[in-house]
Amino acid sequence: MARERIVLVEDDPDLATTLVLALEKQGFSVSHYGTGRDGLHGVLDSPPDLVLLDLNLPDLDGLSVCRELRDTEAVRDVPIIMLTARVEESDRVLGLDLGADDYVTKPFSLRELVSRIKALLRRRGLDSGVPENEYRDPRLVVQKGSLGVTLDCQPVKLTVREFELLWYLIINRPRVASREVILDRVWGLSADVETRTVDVHVRALRSKLGSESIETVVGAGYRFKGLN
């Protein structure tokens, strides 16, 4: 199934390498940026499922990045965990006041960090109205565990890849997913495929579920609309 994507904004290369390896071992896809400005642009260009944000960053500190993300509608709801060596309560409170969802003080346990990440991602799925294993609207039912899909109470046969693409678009809604991100999340970084492969699979899904089910956002990618 599609991997959940994390953006790590951390200027310490040793720590960043450790975190990337540990999180990828847990099944996440990780994009790393070494400066606040690069991290901000990376999140805005391709919204992830969660941001790990260092507080002390060159050129643009973590608090400023957090403020910008929370002021931008497209990424306003992306969970943010702040990482910092600071222990002052005022710093922690300020970060939370600016919209950070959690705060981890260095040095921290990788096991604890992964647990916090998973908890936030579970909560986000529930808050968005999309249960972890099932999606329902007036016409469409999609069940992750059984790979089952029904449209107007009739079963729909999807290939495994079509189902993975559909499920990723569902859990990503209402955000737009670019073709490049879809390839990463659904096919995997090592997959030797072209972006037009995404278009082919989207056309297949539309032919089975209806053209209105998936919206094309010109110049950006695709967004799941559902069926009402």
Side-chain angles (χ1 to χ4, degrees):
M1 300 299 292
R3 295 182 297 166
E4 289 165 308
R5 179 168 167 265
I6 294 173
V7 162
L8 169 65
V9 190
E10 169 62 61
D11 65 326
D12 182 331
D14 292 334
L15 177 58
T17 297
T18 299
L19 288 176
V20 169
L21 292 175
L23 293 173
E24 289 184 341
K25 187 176 181 181
Q26 290 291 323
F28 297 107
S29 171
V30 185
S31 299
H32 169 240
Y33 299 92
T35 69
R37 199 167 303 281
D38 286 347
L40 176 61
H41 291 162
V43 173
L44 296 179
D45 289 343
S46 180
D49 295 292
L50 183 140
V51 176
L52 289 177
L53 179 60
D54 187 26
L55 186 60
N56 297 311
L57 293 166
D59 82 351
L60 192 66
D61 64 53
L63 293 176
S64 298
V65 174
C66 183
R67 184 184 294 108
E68 289 286 339
L69 294 178
R70 288 299 179 243
D71 287 341
T72 304
E73 184 175 358
V75 293
R76 185 171 295 157
D77 296 329
V78 175
I80 298 173
I81 297 179
M82 302 203 76
L83 309 175
T84 181
R86 300 182 186 178
V87 295
E88 291 83 356
E89 182 181 3
S90 59
D91 292 320
R92 183 167 63 253
V93 170
L94 180 55
L96 296 174
D97 285 346
L98 288 174
D101 297 273
D102 204 349
Y103 208 101
V104 179
T105 303
K106 301 175 184 177
F108 49 80
S109 159
L110 286 174
R111 183 176 180 181
E112 178 188 1
L113 179 63
V114 169
S115 177
R116 290 180 183 230
I117 289 170
K118 290 181 177 179
L120 275 177
L121 291 173
R122 283 195 301 270
R123 191 176 77 194
R124 183 174 186 241
L126 294 173
D127 289 346
S128 68
V130 181
E132 290 186 68
N133 295 303
E134 183 175 274
Y135 166 81
R136 288 180 178 268
D137 66 29
R139 298 182 57 201
L140 181 67
V141 178
V142 182
Q143 297 175 314
K144 179 181 177 183
S146 64
L147 305 185
V149 179
T150 58
L151 175 63
D152 296 329
C153 299
Q154 298 299 315
V156 178
K157 291 185 178 180
L158 301 182
T159 67
V160 172
R161 192 70 75 185
E162 287 168 355
F163 185 91
E164 290 176 344
L165 172 58
L166 175 62
W167 188 255
Y168 175 66
L169 292 174
I170 286 173
I171 63 174
N172 190 65
R173 72 186 185 119
R175 293 178 294 161
V176 177
S178 70
R179 291 167 177 83
E180 292 77 14
V181 169
I182 291 172
L183 283 177
D184 175 22
R185 301 297 304 284
V186 178
W187 273 263
L189 285 172
S190 61
D192 184 18
V193 293
E194 300 179 357
T195 55
R196 64 184 178 182
T197 301
V198 176
D199 301 331
V200 171
H201 281 74
V202 168
R203 284 198 297 270
L205 285 176
R206 285 172 170 164
S207 71
K208 296 176 180 182
L209 303 178
S211 58
E212 71 274 22
S213 59
I214 300 173
E215 175 188 11
T216 299
V217 180
V218 178
Y222 294 108
R223 173 166 50 204
F224 179 76
K225 297 291 289 183
L227 298 169
N228 297 307

